[in-house]
Structures are given as C-alpha cells and as structure tokens.
Amino acid sequence: MNAIIENLPRFLDGFGMTLLLLVVSGAGALVLGTVVAAMRIAPVPSLNGFAAFYTETLRNTPLTLVLFFCAIILPYLGSTLPYLACAIIGLTLYTSPFVAEALRSGINGVPVGQAEAARSLGLGFRQSVTLIIFPQAFRMVIPPLINLLIALTKNTSVAGGFFVVELFTVAKELANANGNAVIAILLAIAAFYLVITIPLGILSARLERRLAVQR
Amino acid sequence: MSASVLFDAPGPKTRRRSLIISLIVLALLIAGVVWIAFTLAQPRESSGLTLPGYFAPSRWDIFADPVVWAFIGRGLLNTLQAAAIAAVMALVIGVLFAMLRTSVYAAVRIPTTVVLEFFRGMPVLLMMLFILLVASTGAFWAVVIALGIYNGAIIGEALRSGLASLPRGQREAGLSLGLTRLQTKVSVEFPQAFRQMLPVIVAQLVVLLKDTSLGYIVGYNELIRTTMNNLASFYGNRYLFSLFIVTLVIYLAVNLSLSWVARRLARQRRGGAVTPGAVPLTGDAGIGGSSVMAGASDPADATTE
C-alpha cells in the first residue's frame, strides 16, 4: 500500500498520458474513419476500392505490428517524430477502419425505404445522405463507437511497449522497483484503467437504451 | 443496374465524370506508390557511408536461405500454437462465464458479473504482465492464460446475449418436459445461443490470433519477436525493413483467410437455417451498396479488442 501512495504522482502521470493518447487518437480515428466510410459509400468506384483495401489491410494487421512500424521502422526510414507522435499515429491508423466499419454498418442498418422515400421526394445523393440517412445512422452507431473508445483505452497499453511512458510502462517499472508489492501495484494500475472503461461502458448501455430507434 | 438506391443509375455525363475522378484517384495512388518505392530504392547517405536502397539485393538476400524461412516458420508456429490453446481456453471459460452469469442464484450471478467486468475492462497486456510477474509462469503461459481469460470474458458476454435473444418458449418447453434448469440450459438453450453467436465468436477468435502479437512485448518468441527481434539482431538491422514486409504479408495472409471464414459463417447463418426470433434483415442490398456484410449485426464490429 505504501508503494502506491508514495508513487501516486507517477501513477497520475501515467494516467494523464493514457488519457492524452485516448483523446487525441480517438478524435483522429473518428475523423479518419468518417472520411473512409464516406469514401466507401461514394458513387466513385475507385474511392470505394481504395477504402475497402485500406479497411481490410489495417483491420487484419496486429496493433503491435502497426506500432512497430510507426515507432521503429519510420525512424529507420528517416523520420524524426517523437515516440508519442508515433504512438498516436499508430493508434489512430489502427482504430480508424473499425470506426469506418461501424459507421457503414449503421448506414446499412437504416431501412432501404428511408433512402427510397428521400430519393422519391427528389433529394439528391448529398441531401439524402446528410439529411435522412446519416442522422439515423449516427444514432444507431453511438454505442458501437463508445465500445471502440473502450477498446482504444485498453489498446493504449500497447504503446507502453514502444517507449511511451503511460500506465502500462509505469506498472512495469514500479513492479520491478517494488518486488514486495507487485500485486498491489498491478491492481492499482488496473483500477486506473477501469476508471475509464467502466463509466464508458455504462454510458454506452444507457445511450443504447435511450437512442434506440423505435420501429 | 446500380446496387445503391442513393443515386440514380448514372447517365453518360455522370459516368464520364465518375470515370474521370476514378482515373485521377488511381493516377494519384499510383504516383504515390511509385514515389514511395522510388524514394525507398534510392541509396542513402548516412554519416559518410552510402547505404544501399531498400530494394537492393543486399537487403533481401537472407530470404534465399531456407534456414531463415525455417526460423520464421517456427515463429509462425509459436503464434498459432499460443492462439490455438488460448482459443480452446477462451471457449471453455466463455461457456462457464455465460452459465454462471445467467444463474438463478444472485449469490453466483453478482460476483460473476463483477469479475467479468473486471476482466473485460482491463488491457490484455496488463493481464499478461500480471500473470508473468505474480504467477511466474513463463512468457508462453502468460500470453495464453491472459488471452484465454480476456477473450473468455468477451465470448461469455456474447453467449449471454445469445441466450437472452432466444424466445422464452424454448426454456419453458424444456422445463415443462421435466428437464432440470441445468439440463434445459445445457441441452436446449446453449446449442441455439452458440449457433446464433457463432459469427461473433469466430471473429473474436481472429482478434485473439492478432493479440498473440502482444507476446512481442512480454517476451514470448512469436512471429513478430522472431522476425523483428531475433532475426534482425542476428543478421543486422539493414534487414529490418525487408523482415517487416515479410512479417506483414504473413499476418495478412493468415488473418484475411480467417476473416474470410468468419464472414462466410456470418452469411451462411443469415441465408440458411431459420433461427427463432431472428430479426428479418433487409438482405445484402443495404444502402451502403456492394456490401459484403450488411446489417448492424456485423460480427466484425464487436471485435476491436
């Protein structure tokens, strides 16, 4: 217990770094994922193909390999980015195809009748997507998107393996330094992660009930 | 005829415009790829030395040696082995969790829920470190047990929602035939829930396979550690890039074929056997057009972890 209280500042530093990774790469992934999803449904075949290729490739590559590329191969190829930026880029890239797929499945979940009604009223592609389809799709995908953020929270721990000092790195270092309090330290670190993931999970469940489109 | 309802079947003008945009995008992509390849192929000056370009034979010659491939094969085998054992463990733990979580006794149900939430909310990597340090099992079992427990918790939740989606009549019919509650659950409810959730479970197993790569960080000699660490330090860092490309291709080959199986299962379930209580789906012609998997019940969405 002493080991935890004495090292509380380090825990908080690590927690702050985890939060930073989560917020920045979460926002990046949402933006990038939306762009990819838009490309996927656009009426231009080459954009569709590119988006599908991007999604399938990144979704089937382990996060470790993506981060390895960003943190070790890129500097080797001549980039001089700091490791934090590398980790953020890696996490953003890895999460974005999942966001794109979630959005697309939301769009697919809107009944075809809605699109047909919009089209038969004379709305064009852009109008029917932005006014009719997207507002309904977005409500449906909020819970899956929050689940993605929960997964991202847990995935930030992998960045700890690539020279970013966040909660996982703190756990490793403190556990090595305090051999007699390993269990306490690891439980404390787990608690810090749960502080993020459990409220998000509750939020997701509550929104799911509130936002569900009644049909 | 266009698959999408969002826009009309394009006329000659739109077709031409779409073709032009397509060609521009294609040209940009090709230009980008050529530029990257060209830049990588150039020899580089570094502190007075001229290093060969990344496609120079001196960076790829180790792959002519069968010993290297044997080594990579061993790494792949280690990855698959860990994934296979962890998958069996995850299935068993998942069934167990789903059973306990749906128990009629609150004394069983509530502690199980707490434990399940704890395991679900914690990073797998931290769990691996925990097992490694506390139980000192060695890296292999740390990877396997952590993946087993974590994915077991997720599969357990999937099974539970499968159980919840069954019509009540199934359970009532079992009970009214004189089966005990446990018998009803094992022989009536579980087989159906399992079939219903099969796509989700298979997709989760693909994630499990991807997550064995975390062994790189905790020191288990799986594929990434074998290529990027052991081989790269043995043959020298100039092979790092080539080894990375080879590793990426192997992972993509394995995972894409597994994802393909998962997708086929999902489609079979939708097209084939009628499940009680299944939501009627609009079919493949969703709004997004040309979709391989339509519907919000896309198994791949649940599987980012």
Side-chain angles (χ1 to χ4, degrees):
Chain A
M1 204 61 210
N2 278 333
I4 295 175
I5 294 168
E6 279 166 23
N7 292 304
L8 202 58
R10 298 198 55 193
F11 278 101
L12 290 177
D13 282 351
F15 185 63
M17 185 58 88
T18 295
L19 271 185
L20 178 74
L21 284 172
L22 169 65
V23 170
V24 178
S25 42
L30 283 181
V31 172
L32 197 57
T34 313
V35 172
V36 175
M39 282 163 82
R40 193 87 193 253
I41 61 164
V44 182
S46 70
L47 287 181
N48 299 351
F50 175 72
F53 173 76
Y54 177 86
T55 310
E56 284 304 305
T57 313
L58 268 176
R59 248 183 12 161
N60 286 294
T61 311
L63 176 59
T64 322
L65 207 55
V66 177
L67 282 174
F68 192 95
F69 180 80
C70 293
I72 295 174
I73 303 280
L74 275 186
Y76 181 66
L77 295 180
S79 101
T80 50
L81 290 170
Y83 284 125
L84 177 61
C86 294
I88 288 175
I89 294 173
L91 286 169
T92 304
L93 284 180
Y94 179 77
T95 314
S96 61
F98 292 102
V99 173
E101 282 299 283
L103 284 174
R104 195 169 67 95
S105 79
I107 290 170
N108 277 329
V110 178
V112 185
Q114 298 283 328
E116 284 168 351
R119 296 284 297 127
S120 66
L121 284 175
L123 302 185
F125 173 71
R126 201 167 303 160
Q127 282 175 315
S128 36
V129 168
T130 53
L131 297 176
I132 309 295
I133 308 297
F134 209 73
Q136 297 185 54
F138 191 65
R139 282 163 69 109
M140 279 203 276
V141 294
I142 287 179
L145 285 183
I146 293 179
N147 289 340
L148 281 178
L149 289 183
I150 295 177
L152 178 61
T153 313
K154 290 181 277 185
N155 282 339
T156 55
S157 66
V158 182
F162 293 93
F163 321 115
V164 177
V165 185
E166 43 71 80
L167 276 174
F168 176 73
T169 319
V170 172
K172 212 163 54 177
E173 289 173 3
L174 286 184
N176 282 337
N178 305 284
N180 53 350
V182 173
I183 295 184
I185 286 172
L186 290 177
L187 284 180
I189 292 283
F192 272 109
Y193 277 109
L194 294 177
V195 162
I196 306 179
T197 54
I198 287 184
L200 278 176
I202 293 171
L203 182 72
S204 155
R206 201 166 280 176
L207 284 177
E208 191 157 22
R209 234 171 295 136
R210 165 114 45 105
L211 293 175
V213 185
Q214 299 294 332
R215 290 209 169 88
Chain B
M1 193 48 206
S2 164
S4 178
V5 290
L6 284 176
F7 38 86
D8 294 325
K13 228 177 183 174
T14 324
R15 259 207 304 269
R16 196 165 345 117
R17 201 167 51 200
S18 155
L19 186 71
I20 290 171
I21 299 179
S22 278
L23 286 180
I24 291 174
V25 171
L26 207 65
L28 283 178
L29 280 180
I30 290 175
V33 169
V34 167
W35 181 76
I36 291 174
F38 186 74
T39 316
L40 288 182
Q42 289 305 307
R44 234 164 18 109
E45 294 282 334
S46 169
S47 58
L49 292 169
T50 309
L51 303 173
Y54 287 101
F55 300 112
S58 68
R59 287 188 186 272
W60 293 84
D61 54 6
I62 49 168
F63 295 109
D65 189 352
V67 176
V68 171
W69 286 108
F71 214 73
I72 294 176
R74 188 118 28 90
L76 181 61
L77 204 66
N78 281 346
T79 287
L80 294 178
Q81 197 182 9
I85 299 177
V88 174
M89 203 184 264
L91 285 175
V92 172
I93 292 177
V95 170
L96 213 66
F97 266 139
M99 288 273 212
L100 295 178
R101 179 86 205 265
T102 53
S103 161
V104 286
Y105 304 109
V108 177
R109 197 172 59 229
I110 291 169
T112 316
T113 311
V114 172
V115 170
L116 206 92
E117 287 301 320
F118 179 73
F119 284 142
R120 259 174 17 125
M122 186 162 121
V124 208
L125 192 55
L126 194 65
M127 215 185 291
M128 286 180 190
L129 184 73
F130 198 109
I131 296 170
L132 197 63
L133 292 180
V134 175
S136 50
T137 49
F140 175 74
W141 286 108
V143 170
V144 168
I145 294 173
L147 285 176
I149 292 176
Y150 176 79
N151 291 289
I154 289 178
I155 290 176
E157 278 297 285
L159 282 175
R160 187 179 68 96
S161 69
L163 285 178
S165 75
L166 291 180
R168 287 172 53 134
Q170 296 291 324
R171 178 182 161 79
E172 284 162 0
L175 292 178
S176 67
L177 281 175
L179 300 178
T180 62
R181 280 194 295 255
L182 187 65
Q183 281 174 324
T184 310
K185 198 166 271 175
V186 172
S187 51
V188 177
E189 291 181 83
F190 252 110
Q192 298 185 54
F194 204 80
R195 288 200 58 182
Q196 186 121 329
M197 286 294 141
L198 197 57
V200 179
I201 291 172
V202 175
Q204 191 58 41
L205 294 181
V206 177
V207 173
L208 187 151
L209 178 68
K210 276 200 319 185
D211 277 354
T212 53
S213 66
L214 294 174
Y216 169 75
I217 296 170
V218 294
Y220 171 56
N221 273 327
E222 43 68 69
L223 183 57
I224 295 185
R225 201 175 178 79
T226 303
T227 54
M228 310 310 293
N229 207 328
N230 302 354
L231 281 177
S233 45
F234 184 72
Y235 287 101
N237 261 353
R238 67 197 155 115
Y239 293 108
L240 204 58
F241 181 74
S242 352
L243 284 168
F244 175 81
I245 298 290
V246 169
T247 312
L248 181 64
V249 169
I250 294 175
Y251 258 115
L252 283 181
V254 172
N255 285 338
L256 281 174
S257 36
L258 269 178
S259 303
W260 181 75
V261 172
R263 200 169 294 172
R264 267 193 71 121
L265 274 175
R267 207 174 321 162
Q268 266 176 11
R269 291 221 39 71
R270 200 157 354 102
V274 182
T275 43
V279 191
L281 286 156
T282 45
D284 269 7
I287 295 174
S290 70
S291 60
V292 199
M293 324 168 258
S297 58
D298 185 341
D301 292 338
T303 54
T304 34
E305 289 116 298

